[in-house]
Amino acid sequence: MTTPFVIAVDGPAASGKGTLSRRLATQYGLRHLDTGLSYRAVAHALLSADLSLEDEAQAVEAAREVDFAGLDPLVLSTHEVGEAASRVSVHPAVRRVLVEKQRDFARVAPGAVLDGRDIGTVVCPDADVKLYVTASPQVRAGRRHREILRLGGQAEYGAILADIERRDARDMGRADSPLRPAADSHLLDTSGMSIEAAFLAACAIVDEALGAKN
């Protein structure tokens, strides 16, 4: 494959897009980038330095220092960092810095699977495949609740649901790169779908695009 093959996977929090993206990357021999971790890395840097999340200039400096090869999901996947990342991601200048880094990642052969909130609309509008993975807020909250309990944590379903609804409102309502499906994206509503069924449906879409490209 001479030109990079790019799969863009967008969707709200806890929709299953990360799990699906990792499986697609493995299936097709592509690199994977969870772009949400790049915003979490900025938030984590600000929190660690005791800097304000509202200070756009400091956030931009942190964004410039983000190394995609060093993103640690265990460190960056805490609730506190996630909440902070949602606040940091509203800064347009931060988004510009990280989007350019994400585009550079996608340009390297053989290609990549990028998942996030604005991949198909902003980061890679010319992606070979665009998927929009979603599920109802109630289903997503239930999944996250079960995951936290399975990992030995404590959480209340109601609090998780409220948090997801807040993040949806913030992600969909921001002025810069709001969360929305690209006009040419394939919708995968996983509310009543297993990850295996979602994966097979996604593979059928990717296989068709590969066939057309080759």
Side-chain angles (χ1 to χ4, degrees):
M1 209 179 291
T2 53
T3 57
F5 188 83
V6 178
I7 302 174
V9 184
D10 290 304
S15 59
K17 66 182 181 295
T19 301
L20 179 62
S21 297
R22 288 188 293 274
R23 287 195 63 176
L24 287 173
T26 300
Q27 175 75 11
Y28 294 100
L30 302 172
R31 293 167 308 122
H32 171 248
L33 177 63
D34 175 351
T35 62
L37 287 181
S38 61
Y39 290 95
R40 284 171 174 262
V42 173
H44 183 260
L46 293 175
L47 291 172
S48 298
D50 201 24
L51 296 171
S52 170
L53 299 171
E54 275 65 52
D55 188 330
E56 188 170 24
Q58 295 281 8
V60 167
E61 285 305 309
R64 290 190 177 119
E65 295 299 317
V66 170
D67 176 10
F68 289 166
L71 298 176
D72 186 344
L74 289 177
V75 172
L76 300 176
S77 294
T78 66
H79 176 77
E80 179 191 20
V81 173
E83 272 294 293
S86 194
R87 291 164 62 187
V88 163
S89 66
V90 302
H91 295 310
V94 172
R95 301 195 70 83
R96 284 193 293 273
V97 170
L98 292 180
V99 163
E100 199 49 51
K101 283 174 173 269
Q102 292 157 11
R103 286 174 177 159
D104 288 343
F105 183 90
R107 290 186 187 111
V108 179
V113 182
L114 288 82
D115 72 79
R117 304 285 198 279
D118 61 350
I119 310 305
T121 53
V122 175
V123 180
C124 299
D126 297 322
D128 298 277
V129 174
K130 298 178 188 178
L131 303 173
Y132 189 85
V133 184
T134 190
S136 72
Q138 293 76 15
V139 167
R140 289 184 279 133
R143 288 173 180 165
R144 181 147 286 178
H145 185 231
R146 288 191 295 275
E147 181 184 23
I148 290 170
L149 296 182
R150 180 176 58 81
L151 294 173
Q154 295 291 320
E156 290 187 8
Y157 168 81
I160 295 172
L161 176 59
D163 178 51
I164 279 177
E165 289 175 336
R166 273 195 307 273
R167 289 188 63 184
D168 284 355
R170 195 181 296 151
D171 290 338
M172 294 175 185
R174 65 175 177 244
D176 191 331
S177 309
L179 169 64
R180 60 181 174 81
D184 54 348
S185 64
H186 299 268
L187 179 66
L188 279 179
D189 188 329
T190 66
S191 296
M193 203 184 267
S194 68
I195 185 59
E196 193 62 33
F199 174 65
L200 292 175
C203 284
I205 295 166
V206 174
D207 288 344
E208 185 177 349
L210 280 170
K213 188 163 185 169
N214 296 331

